[in-house]
Amino acid sequence: MKIDFEKIDDVNGVVTVSIEQADYADDVKKELKRIGKTHAEPGFRAGHVPAGILEKKYGKSVKYDIVSKAVGNALYKYIEDNHLPVLGQPIPYKENDLNPDENDYTLKFKVGLAPVMDLKADKELHIPYYKITVTDEMVDEQDKRLRSRFGKQEKGDEVDATALVKGVITELNEDGTVKEGGVVMENGIVAPQYFKSEEQKALFIGKHVGDKVVFNPWDTCEGNESELSSMLNIDKDKVAEHKGNFEFDIKEIIVLKPAELGEEYYKEVFGPEGNVTDEAGYRAAVKVMIENSLSGEENYRFTIDAHDVILDKVKDAPLPDEVLEEYLVMNNQDIDENNVKEVYSGMKNSLLWDLAKESVMTQLGVTLTDEDVKSTAKMLARQQFAQYGMANPPEEAIDRFADDILKDKKSIDRLRQNALDSKFFNALREAVTVDVKEVSVEGFNDLFKKEEEEAKAEA
């Protein structure tokens, strides 16, 4: 068998495969012999069918299959051995013909080649990095949230926005009198802060022990069966019978007292290793906490801008358009000559990005290791613990959680891709010139709004 490659231009080539009878004759004989052992023919038992009958009945189809397989294997091995950067797959010429009456064949295949990207990931390449400015107001809000989280519940004199209210809940008639045989919940408890109705919430704010509040439980939760069942201690299938007003006789008010600044509180928030000893250090540490929490969004924004900058650099790189269009038609039932150009146009930028990204990764020596994947799993574990309010979980717990993530076969491919992307963009940030731009939270959000508006306009 003989294989030749002719490069037509930078992104197109032709592979010619010449195969003679001597290259496949033995394989055809072996296959016919195998068929003879398993197939019976009229007048002959399996294993006793004459070779001539097998050749007459199966010879042409067997030869076609053997030759097709041999050519395909040889073609892909040639591409692999010669490191041809083929995009998609080889496209057979329409003139290719495996005429069963012939013995020698010359078959041609179009191949589309990945372009050489004129792109260098060095300090000459500038990519913006938007850094959100952390204001005093943001520190104040975070301080409020932290002190609430680490605060303590205690008896209070007045219902405020954080209060739990305990007392007797009694069902009323439409005229405001107590409903005979109605629902009475002796140990009722409500948390107005979670009411879905601001009007119902306002009825409780500012009230004191001994006050009575007429409210509508149905409106507090928009008729949610589970919440009403729990609040009134009735069966879920009965809640629709109690849409009227109730009276709440306040017996006790539990309020959240925010944690007070001090060494004990500082250690609770930042741990002993936080080394926070006074209010100035505390506010500085809170600011760093906010900056760290925003870094994920800032880094995500960097990936978008890096994508746009790099894609702009390679947007004019040539691609084997015709070959790729043929490839799409061959491999997708929903794509034909009528819509292939539209489909291909929509995916072209994505292909250019993938090629540019691969080129940059090669330049920067970015490869994925098991340790990279484990680190990404541990990062996800820390994020999960943070959602549960655990800022400093034990390292053993993080390791166990990460191991569980790695055992999930459904998510491992996505995890590996996330790990590779993270390593790629981190390496890119180190290699290029990063133009840091300070922006407000509003300005940062506007970056995404502008893109959304542009996308809608294009659609």
Side-chain angles (χ1 to χ4, degrees), residues 273-284:
E273 68 281 359
N275 209 22
V276 177
T277 58
D278 56 25
E279 185 174 357
Y282 166 71
R283 290 185 66 85

Side-chain angles (χ1 to χ4, degrees), residues 31-40 45-49 54:
E31 180 61 16
L32 288 173
K33 189 174 182 180
R34 186 194 68 78
I35 292 173
K37 290 180 179 180
T38 58
H39 287 64
R45 290 178 291 121
H48 296 274
V49 182
L54 292 173

Side-chain angles (χ1 to χ4, degrees), residues 163-451:
L164 292 176
V165 187
K166 298 181 178 181
V168 181
I169 304 176
T170 306
E171 189 170 12
L172 304 177
N173 291 311
E174 290 185 7
D175 62 2
T177 58
V178 174
K179 185 175 183 178
E180 186 176 350
V183 173
V184 177
M185 179 65 173
E186 294 288 348
N187 299 308
I189 181 169
V190 296
Q193 62 179 310
Y194 298 117
F195 287 177
K196 292 182 173 63
S197 167
E198 291 296 325
E199 181 180 344
Q200 294 296 315
K201 184 187 301 184
L203 296 174
F204 284 84
I205 301 300
K207 294 297 189 291
H208 304 83
V209 173
D211 288 345
K212 294 184 179 182
V213 178
V214 175
F215 78 117
N216 188 292
W218 182 276
D219 289 345
T220 66
C221 59
E222 297 177 346
N224 183 280
E225 291 182 351
S226 296
E227 292 186 37
L228 282 170
S229 174
S230 175
M231 182 190 297
L232 303 178
N233 193 29
I234 58 177
D235 294 336
K236 289 183 180 180
D237 58 359
K238 301 288 186 181
V239 297
E241 301 173 10
H242 306 279
K243 295 184 179 181
N245 287 339
F246 284 67
E247 180 182 80
F248 197 109
D249 186 2
I250 300 176
K251 301 296 184 183
E252 187 178 0
I253 300 171
I254 305 296
V255 296
L256 178 66
K257 182 180 180 182
E260 295 183 1
L261 298 182
E263 187 174 347
E264 182 179 348
Y265 168 66
Y266 301 148
K267 287 182 178 179
E268 280 189 291
V269 177
F270 301 105
E273 68 281 359
N275 209 22
V276 177
T277 58
D278 56 25
E279 185 174 357
Y282 166 71
R283 290 185 66 85
V286 170
K287 183 177 181 180
V288 171
M289 176 188 289
I290 298 172
E291 289 173 342
N292 290 339
S293 70
L294 294 172
S295 64
E297 291 296 316
E298 294 166 344
N299 290 339
Y300 173 64
R301 181 68 222 183
F302 174 77
T303 67
I304 294 175
D305 293 314
H307 172 278
D308 292 346
V309 169
I310 290 175
L311 191 58
D312 186 63
K313 294 288 184 181
V314 301
K315 64 183 180 181
D316 295 324
L319 287 174
D321 299 327
E322 285 189 21
V323 173
L324 292 176
E325 287 176 6
E326 286 189 58
Y327 168 75
L328 288 174
V329 172
M330 282 179 56
N331 291 277
N332 297 273
Q333 293 182 345
D334 298 330
I335 301 176
D336 56 30
E337 295 179 356
N338 295 318
N339 63 354
V340 65
K341 290 192 179 297
E342 180 182 355
V343 174
Y344 176 65
S345 176
M347 62 174 284
K348 195 169 182 177
N349 278 347
S350 178
L351 176 57
L352 284 171
W353 163 249
D354 288 340
L355 293 170
K357 181 181 174 183
E358 185 176 345
S359 173
V360 172
M361 283 198 294
T362 300
Q363 290 179 46
L364 302 180
V366 176
T367 57
L368 188 65
T369 66
D370 290 341
E371 188 57 35
D372 296 326
V373 180
K374 179 65 179 287
S375 296
T376 300
K378 291 175 72 172
M379 179 191 69
L380 293 176
R382 287 192 179 91
Q383 291 175 353
Q384 192 67 52
F385 279 116
Q387 290 180 5
Y388 297 142
M390 300 175 64
N392 299 292
E395 195 64 27
E396 310 85 67
I398 292 175
D399 281 331
R400 285 197 302 272
F401 203 109
D403 287 339
D404 289 340
I405 294 174
L406 292 170
K407 291 175 184 176
D408 185 356
K409 294 182 180 179
K410 293 181 180 179
S411 62
I412 190 65
D413 288 341
R414 184 175 70 253
L415 184 66
R416 290 180 64 83
Q417 186 60 55
N418 289 344
L420 183 60
D421 286 344
S422 177
K423 195 169 185 179
F424 165 70
F425 285 110
N426 286 338
L428 184 65
R429 281 180 61 186
E430 292 295 322
V432 305
T433 296
V434 175
D435 297 326
V436 178
K437 302 176 184 290
E438 294 279 346
V439 294
S440 65
V441 172
E442 295 76 17
F444 187 80
N445 291 334
D446 285 343
L447 295 172
F448 296 91
K449 291 179 181 177
K450 181 181 178 181
E451 290 172 347

Side-chain angles (χ1 to χ4, degrees), residues 116-128:
V116 176
M117 292 292 181
D118 184 19
L119 174 66
K120 291 184 179 179
D122 56 22
K123 295 301 179 182
E124 295 297 315
L125 185 63
H126 288 250
I127 301 176

Side-chain angles (χ1 to χ4, degrees), residues 91-111:
I91 306 297
Y93 271 56
K94 294 179 180 179
E95 294 80 11
N96 286 355
D97 182 20
L98 286 178
N99 188 330
D101 295 325
E102 296 181 4
N103 294 318
D104 301 334
Y105 304 97
T106 298
L107 307 172
K108 293 187 175 184
F109 299 85
K110 302 175 188 176
V111 289

